[in-house]
Amino acid sequence: MARVQKDMLIKDVLQQDNGVIPFLLNAGMHCLGCPSAQGETLEEAGMVHGMDTDEIDGLVDSINDYLRTIA
């Protein structure tokens, strides 16, 4: 089963399943195709977009909950 961690690169998160895109967009990460965004971790991207640690952890949990439903 796929699992996302906050230290994963955005490009690796996106490779898990295209269904994760709405989660990232809803978190304010609208430049998912940007080369610099692809090289950031989920945590780094969250911090750049004003998310605190709890919000980033919540995003990771939401993505992992979604990934469990498609496994």
Side-chain angles (χ1 to χ4, degrees):
M1 172 178 71
R3 181 145 171 84
V4 169
Q5 296 176 312
K6 64 183 174 183
D7 63 349
M8 289 178 71
L9 295 177
I10 293 291
K11 68 176 184 153
D12 295 331
V13 172
L14 293 171
Q15 288 178 348
Q16 299 298 319
D17 184 87
N18 284 338
V20 304
I21 293 172
F23 294 94
L24 300 175
L25 293 175
N26 288 334
M29 300 177 194
H30 299 121
C31 51
L32 298 175
C34 173
S36 62
Q38 295 280 317
E40 290 179 326
T41 66
L42 189 55
E43 183 173 35
E44 291 167 338
M47 291 185 332
V48 165
H49 290 88
M51 298 175 75
D52 64 27
T53 302
D54 290 337
E55 291 171 316
I56 295 167
D57 290 342
L59 175 60
V60 170
D61 290 343
S62 295
I63 291 172
N64 284 325
D65 288 346
Y66 163 74
L67 291 173
R68 277 191 284 281
T69 68
I70 61 164

